[in-house]
Amino acid sequence: MNNIQACLFDLDGVIVDTAIYHYKAWKRLANELGFDFTEEQNELLKGVSRVRSLEIILGLGGITKTDAEKEELATRKNDWYVDMITRMKPNEVLPGAREFVQSCRDAGLKTALGSASKNSMTILEKIGMVNLFDVIIDGNKVTKAKPDPEVFLNGAKELGIDPANCVVFEDAIAGVEAAINGGMKVVGIGSPQVLVGANLVVKGLGEMSVERLQAL
Ligand code: BG6
Ligand code: MG
């Protein structure tokens, strides 16, 4: 039996499905720059920081920009994205996610958010989940992107829990690797073919229970 004392959750793709909003905003930007951006290409951006996402998109379009121009483009995309997420409603939480986080807390486990997104607080406020996390580490609090474990190690540290006693929930392979690099257990959300290395892979938090954590 393991000794899980804390659960750390990624946000986008685990608690909420914001990929569609990111996609719409990036597509609009790509279209303004004169090329298209497909939903398959959007998969490349899962778990990837805003600046890195922009660089990938510019690469797809074969476009070179200065750092100042990149800054302006990333801001433009983010303004459109924020416009969409500020209209999010509590019913956009993925099935079973709110209930599972709550059941972890009811069982006496600590909970933390570990997300690359600088918009995490806005989303948590809109879906009414701010109070379900003891600690929130978002893109404003980290300097190194996943697969670097910084975001999760900071979460464990703020919770006061040893990384070996933490489990991370992640939908991106970079996030699964970040958890492993931090010496934590990890439950993948998505496909076992993609999320290689996870201790367990499920389709969504609706499949999880506190009991299942014991078998990790
Ligand atoms: C991650 C998403 O959670 O956050 C990425 O999976 C996104 O797609 C990244 O690029 C950064 O988000 P934001 O909100 O800071 O632009
Ligand atoms: Mg994610």
Side-chain angles (χ1 to χ4, degrees), residues 10-14 46-47 115 146 169-172:
D10 174 47
L11 177 64
D12 295 315
V14 173
K46 265 193 187 173
S115 168
K146 301 168 186 177
F169 294 85
E170 255 294 345
D171 71 314

Side-chain angles (χ1 to χ4, degrees), residues 10-12 22 26 45-50 53 77-78 81 115-120 146 171:
D10 174 47
L11 177 64
D12 295 315
H22 280 297
W26 284 128
L45 311 184
K46 265 193 187 173
V48 177
S49 76
R50 192 182 309 167
S53 297
K77 178 267 173 179
N78 191 58
Y81 178 69
S115 168
S117 173
K118 294 184 175 174
N119 295 301
S120 294
K146 301 168 186 177
D171 71 314

Side-chain angles (χ1 to χ4, degrees), residues 64-117:
T64 314
K65 294 283 178 189
T66 65
D67 284 351
E69 286 167 333
K70 282 188 206 167
E71 180 83 30
E72 188 278 319
L73 292 171
T75 302
R76 208 192 299 174
K77 178 267 173 179
N78 191 58
D79 288 347
W80 295 326
Y81 178 69
V82 169
D83 198 51
M84 288 185 271
I85 58 169
T86 46
R87 282 181 270 141
M88 282 181 85
K89 297 276 179 303
N91 66 8
E92 286 184 66
V93 175
L94 285 167
R98 189 192 308 274
E99 293 77 7
F100 178 63
V101 178
Q102 183 65 58
S103 67
C104 290
R105 297 175 67 82
D106 293 344
L109 301 170
K110 298 270 184 209
T111 56
L113 190 89
S115 168
S117 173

Side-chain angles (χ1 to χ4, degrees), residues 8-10 12-14 46-48 114 145-152 166-202:
L8 291 82
F9 297 87
D10 174 47
D12 295 315
V14 173
K46 265 193 187 173
V48 177
K146 301 168 186 177
D148 189 284
E150 183 186 19
V151 63
F152 297 129
C166 292
V167 55
V168 166
F169 294 85
E170 255 294 345
D171 71 314
I173 184 62
V176 168
E177 287 166 1
I180 295 169
N181 291 339
M184 300 178 181
K185 299 256 192 270
V186 54
V187 174
I189 307 292
S191 145
Q193 280 76 40
V194 178
L195 303 176
V196 178
N199 299 90
L200 168 72
V201 178
V202 294

